[in-house]
Amino acid sequence: MRKAIIAMSGGVDSSVAALLTKETGDDCIGATMKLFQNEDVGREREKSCCSLDDVEDARSVCYRIGIRFYVFNFSDRFREEVMERFVRAYENGCTPNPCIDCNRYLKFDKLFRRMKEIGRDYIVTGHYARVEYDAEKKRYLLKKAADETKDQSYVLYTLTQEQLAHVSFPLGELQKSQVREIAEKHGFVNAGKHDSQDICFVPDGDYAGFIQQYTGKQPVPGDFIDKDGNILGKHKGIIHYTLGQRRGLGIPAAERLYVCEISPKTNQVTLGKHEELFRSELTAGDVNLISCDSIPEPIRVKAKIRYRHPEQSAAAWQTPDGKLHVRFDQPQRAITKGQAVVLYDGDTVVGGGTIET
């Protein structure tokens, strides 16, 4: 009998993942990571996870299925590796993905180490993804979920071979509708609970407001300019803007203007026409490859530059310094620094990295 630790957010997905793992006969415990109190960051609970109510929902499910439940306080680590990174990225003109950082530094690092410390064999989560072992390659592979509308392989691309060997995604073969049916059948308190849609510590979507509250600093206004350097007006501070943004600029113009570049060094935001947002190539750093050790020569892939971005045909390879270079068959809109580019070969995640240029 193997020993499992189930990462439980209080949502329906992790709850059903716990039930399915328990039904395998393995020794299971549930664990919720205490990351922060929503009230501590000036936010209400609605459309968010990690609240006290979520802890109680997870506890209720564990009690119902008959497994022990624990709460681990990882708030210091979350502040350092997720919230601080989020703030620094916006201050440096980038657009981060804190869900990727949370998976990388909390679920599959801090919780992974805790798993070993308490003598557990593997981690279970409610992610929609699949793990397979390729005996020929002698590698664990990360694959898309059966329900492609819920697939979360994009936010899991940082998983290492060691982590993939000790992780289970019981929902990988299921449709979301099946998961809710299972929860309802077993009388789970969260069977009809909404899915978390926003960044957990910024559930109202006001990123700039959160950064101001978190840092205690007021953003410094600067110039809106065009591609030739002509001043078009004043902006409210670069943390208010992301690449491709059109709304909220407050600049009168004969045609629609979009954020085309953010320069923290000069505190300027460049505006331009829609067609000026398109690029055919990118370079990414902090690369993690899953299906192979390296990509010394160009390979054909499908690439995603955002979580909800449709896959696009491209060629990808690594430069001598290990960076990932991707050349798209067709120009892509608003390739954004700080976001992840993830490469696919069919259903299999090749790997990915953080977009730098």
Side-chain angles (χ1 to χ4, degrees):
M1 180 189 297
R2 296 202 302 161
K3 297 180 179 180
I5 180 170
I6 297 96
M8 302 188 69
S9 66
V12 65
D13 293 331
S14 56
S15 297
V16 172
L19 171 68
L20 296 177
T21 306
K22 174 76 172 352
E23 290 179 342
T24 68
D26 282 356
D27 177 5
C28 300
I29 63 171
T32 293
M33 299 183 296
K34 182 181 182 297
L35 305 178
F36 63 91
Q37 297 288 355
N38 285 11
E39 295 76 13
D40 290 344
V41 292
R43 295 294 180 261
E44 300 297 329
R45 177 184 179 279
E46 187 65 22
K47 290 189 179 178
S48 175
C49 61
C50 315
S51 72
L52 183 60
D53 285 351
D54 293 313
V55 173
E56 292 309 310
D57 287 349
R59 191 191 309 275
S60 169
V61 169
C62 287
Y63 179 78
R64 192 170 190 87
I65 66 177
I67 66 174
R68 289 169 291 162
F69 175 71
Y70 298 88
V71 177
F72 298 141
N73 188 347
F74 293 160
S75 55
D76 288 346
R77 177 76 165 170
F78 186 81
R79 175 177 288 270
E80 177 185 349
E81 298 292 2
V82 180
M83 297 170 77
E84 291 281 355
R85 287 176 182 273
F86 179 87
V87 170
R88 287 199 303 270
Y90 268 98
E91 289 178 336
N92 285 287
C94 299
T95 303
N97 190 321
C99 294
I100 291 176
D101 288 337
C102 187
N103 285 324
R104 181 176 188 176
Y105 297 108
L106 274 298
K107 289 187 182 76
F108 301 108
D109 181 8
K110 187 70 173 177
L111 187 61
F112 193 84
R113 282 185 275 154
R114 182 63 57 87
M115 172 199 78
K116 292 181 176 180
E117 291 168 1
I118 62 177
R120 297 273 124 182
D121 299 311
Y122 66 104
I123 288 178
V124 178
T125 78
H127 285 104
Y128 287 82
R130 294 176 293 158
V131 178
E132 293 180 6
Y133 183 71
D134 187 322
E136 184 177 337
K137 288 185 175 182
K138 296 183 179 180
R139 297 185 76 90
Y140 287 91
L141 303 178
L142 175 65
K143 296 199 165 189
K144 294 177 188 174
D147 187 345
E148 288 210 24
T149 65
K150 300 300 293 184
D151 175 58
Q152 293 173 294
S153 59
Y154 174 89
V155 297
L156 297 169
Y157 83 89
T158 62
L159 285 169
T160 66
Q161 287 295 302
E162 182 188 11
Q163 291 164 346
L164 286 166
H166 296 89
V167 70
S168 173
F169 302 129
L171 309 189
E173 300 289 350
L174 300 178
Q175 300 293 310
K176 179 72 177 196
S177 57
Q178 293 175 291
V179 171
R180 290 209 182 273
E181 287 173 7
I182 292 170
E184 289 170 3
K185 176 183 175 182
H186 288 82
F188 287 175
V189 66
N190 53 16
K193 192 174 184 178
H194 62 73
D195 293 334
S196 296
Q197 299 174 352
D198 301 299
I199 294 171
C200 63
F201 54 92
V202 199
D204 64 0
D206 182 7
Y207 303 155
F210 166 76
I211 293 169
Q212 287 179 242
Q213 183 268 332
Y214 184 86
T215 63
K217 297 187 297 185
Q218 290 295 315
V220 179
D223 292 329
F224 279 126
I225 61 172
D226 63 18
K227 64 180 181 180
D228 297 317
N230 299 309
I231 296 175
L232 303 176
K234 287 289 184 181
H235 67 68
K236 299 182 292 184
I238 62 172
I239 63 170
H240 286 275
Y241 308 98
T242 58
L243 203 67
Q245 179 177 333
R246 178 175 68 84
R247 298 184 184 279
L249 302 180
I251 297 293
E255 57 186 333
R256 289 178 176 176
L257 294 176
Y258 299 80
V259 174
C260 293
E261 186 179 348
I262 300 169
S263 176
K265 287 184 179 180
T266 61
N267 194 30
Q268 292 176 318
V269 175
T270 302
L271 304 181
K273 301 175 183 177
H274 185 254
E275 55 266 30
E276 293 174 44
L277 287 169
F278 288 80
R279 298 287 185 274
S280 295
E281 300 188 37
L282 66 81
T283 299
D286 199 11
V287 175
N288 183 65
L289 298 178
I290 295 178
S291 66
C292 58
D293 285 321
S294 62
I295 312 175
E297 301 293 334
I299 61 171
R300 296 297 301 173
V301 296
K302 291 295 184 70
K304 292 180 70 169
I305 56 172
R306 281 180 291 277
Y307 180 45
R308 296 298 183 191
H309 186 257
E311 295 175 10
Q312 302 294 321
S313 297
W317 65 93
Q318 283 181 285
T319 53
D321 59 1
K323 304 278 189 183
L324 193 61
H325 198 88
V326 181
R327 179 182 294 140
F328 293 94
D329 291 1
Q330 300 293 330
Q332 299 302 305
R333 183 187 185 278
I335 299 176
T336 305
K337 290 189 290 184
Q339 290 285 292
V341 58
V342 179
L343 311 180
Y344 291 85
D345 178 8
D347 286 345
T348 301
V349 176
V350 177
T354 304
I355 298 171
E356 294 181 347
T357 59

